């Protein structure tokens, strides 16, 4: 009885595997084009976050279910308005 149950569990876990996409970019101040260091970038829906580095660069590794999936990337930094960008997976 244990073997069929383990096989079923493995099959269910295997079917839930998702593809992953990398979303990357650079965050700069719109007025003077200076990189923003330490801005929080993420997908709040999946609670995946990162911060921008010294050059304002960031990289997010996001699991997606299928083509057409939509990710809402949010960018936050103290003293600036929150920015949201919609990314559609093709």
């Amino acid at each position: 009885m244990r073997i069929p149950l383990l096989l079923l569990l493995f099959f269910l876990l295997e079917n839930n595997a998702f593809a992953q996409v990398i979303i990357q970019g650079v965050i700069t101040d719109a007025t003077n084009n200076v990189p923003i260091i330490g801005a929080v970038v993420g997908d709040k829906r999946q609670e995946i976050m990162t911060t921008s580095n010294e050059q304002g660069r960031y990289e997010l590794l996001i699991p997606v279910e299928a083509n057409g999936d939509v990710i809402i990337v949010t960018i936050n930094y103290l003293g600036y308005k929150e920015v949201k960008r919609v990314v559609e997976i093709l």
Side-chain angles (χ1 to χ4, degrees), residues 47-81:
E47 297 181 358
I48 298 172
M49 305 272 176
T50 190
T51 57
S52 58
N53 66 13
E54 296 82 19
Q55 292 85 33
R57 297 183 185 277
Y58 68 90
E59 187 173 288
L60 285 171
L61 186 61
I62 308 259
V64 294
E65 293 184 23
N67 290 346
D69 198 9
V70 174
I71 299 167
I72 300 174
V73 177
T74 58
I75 303 168
N76 291 296
Y77 191 73
L78 188 62
Y80 288 80
K81 289 182 180 178

Side-chain angles (χ1 to χ4, degrees), residues 19-35:
Q20 294 181 340
V21 295
I22 297 174
I23 298 175
Q24 58 188 3
V26 179
I27 302 170
T28 58
D29 186 295
T31 58
N32 56 17
N33 212 26
V34 173

Side-chain angles (χ1 to χ4, degrees), residues 1-14:
M1 186 67 174
R2 288 185 185 187
I3 293 174
L5 182 60
L6 290 176
L7 290 175
L8 178 63
L9 181 60
F10 178 76
F11 180 75
L12 291 175
L13 291 175
E14 184 179 1

